[in-house]
Amino acid sequence: MSEPKTIMAPPVHLALPPEPPEPDTRCDVCRALVKERAEAVTAWDWSRVTDCNVEIRNHSVGRHA
């Protein structure tokens, strides 16, 4: 019996993560999300940091233009 030949898969190319959104410092919701994001950074909870960034970005659309 012969061994099957294997080949390496091509490399995976990942993009850099987007820059954190800029909140409106006059908005109470934005300020609360920024505080929550800072606490998540301190706790090294990168999933929550990403969640906060998404919430800030979605909250700001159409409200702080």
Side-chain angles (χ1 to χ4, degrees), residues 7-65:
I7 59 171
M8 291 178 58
V12 176
H13 299 283
L14 301 176
L16 294 174
E19 291 293 320
E22 291 295 325
D24 185 339
T25 57
R26 300 166 295 173
C27 173
D28 291 336
V29 173
C30 286
R31 283 197 308 265
L33 288 168
V34 167
K35 181 178 182 233
E36 186 176 345
R37 179 175 66 184
E39 291 168 356
V41 168
T42 302
W44 291 44
D45 185 351
W46 306 116
S47 176
R48 188 66 192 145
V49 171
T50 300
D51 291 346
C52 290
N53 286 339
V54 169
E55 288 187 53
I56 292 168
R57 198 171 283 118
N58 288 343
H59 166 75
S60 297
V61 172
R63 290 191 177 105
H64 305 303

